[in-house]
Amino acid sequence: MPAERETNQSTRPGSDSALPLRRPPIRQSTTVRSDLDHVFTTFVRTIGVWWPLQPMSIGGDRARSVTIEEHTGGRVYETWDDGTTADWGQLEVWEPPSRFVMTWLNTPEPTEVELAFSALGPALIRVSVEHRGWERLSEEQLREDCAAPGGYSSGAYSGGWATALAASVAVIESSLT
């Protein structure tokens, strides 16, 4: 059943049309000391190592790894201890080493996540995430627990992305040769 559509009434005089309620995207970023190609490649290929599966997975204790299929249309999924896979989303944009965009299925209605990688200097890269599409969710869905209580409404997704990015930095910087 589709979520209820919440609206704001336009404040323009004489306007009786309703506009969709806007909910700001979640934005987080971090910096990594390395070159752009290394950061992007390591971020993508080692996500199964650094992603905090406990508590940020579908399968909970059964989750063992995360995989990103490196092409437009590729799946992003977790694998469980028995080989079962659970989809997190699909890559809509694949532009290595600068960004990728994926659907995000781990919300009550699909949302979208963009990861962007930009050089701040020869060996300093900003990794930014923007998680958007929250207007698709009802107020009740926005309060649903995710890996932490309270969901989007409580800031749990924002905290989750900050935790994930910090975990990626530790692995990426430790993999330098």
Side-chain angles (χ1 to χ4, degrees):
M1 180 161 109
E4 275 184 28
R5 196 98 184 145
E6 297 177 19
T7 58
N8 282 342
Q9 292 298 322
S10 174
T11 57
R12 283 183 255 146
S15 175
D16 59 358
S17 64
L19 301 172
L21 184 62
R22 294 284 305 163
R23 295 182 174 105
I26 293 166
R27 292 185 178 104
Q28 292 287 340
S29 66
T30 192
T31 55
V32 185
R33 296 188 184 286
S34 185
D35 67 88
L36 185 59
D37 288 326
H38 177 79
V39 171
F40 184 89
T41 300
T42 306
F43 184 99
V44 169
R45 293 186 181 165
T46 66
I47 191 170
V49 174
W50 60 260
W51 186 269
L53 287 168
Q54 303 308 317
M56 296 179 351
S57 66
I58 297 169
D61 291 343
R62 299 182 65 198
R64 295 293 179 259
S65 185
V66 180
T67 303
I68 297 174
E69 295 178 345
E70 300 178 38
H71 58 87
T72 301
R75 293 172 56 215
V76 180
Y77 61 93
E78 68 182 53
T79 303
W80 297 353
D81 53 4
D82 65 357
T84 298
T85 61
D87 286 345
W88 286 13
Q90 181 176 336
L91 293 177
E92 297 179 329
V93 176
W94 179 251
E95 297 174 352
S98 60
R99 74 186 187 116
F100 64 89
V101 179
M102 63 179 280
T103 57
W104 186 259
L105 304 176
N106 298 340
T107 45
E109 295 291 330
T111 52
E112 184 176 78
V113 172
E114 178 172 356
L115 275 295
F117 302 77
S118 54
L120 301 175
L124 187 62
I125 307 303
R126 174 178 287 127
V127 180
S128 302
V129 63
E130 181 175 296
H131 191 160
R132 55 189 175 241
W134 300 101
E135 60 276 358
R136 297 179 186 126
L137 282 67
S138 69
E139 284 297 323
E140 182 178 323
Q141 290 172 322
L142 291 169
R143 289 188 299 271
E144 285 184 23
D145 292 348
C146 52
Y152 173 90
S153 295
S154 73
Y157 280 94
S158 184
W161 281 113
T163 298
L165 289 177
S168 76
V169 171
V171 169
I172 293 167
E173 288 183 349
S174 72
S175 70
L176 295 171
T177 54

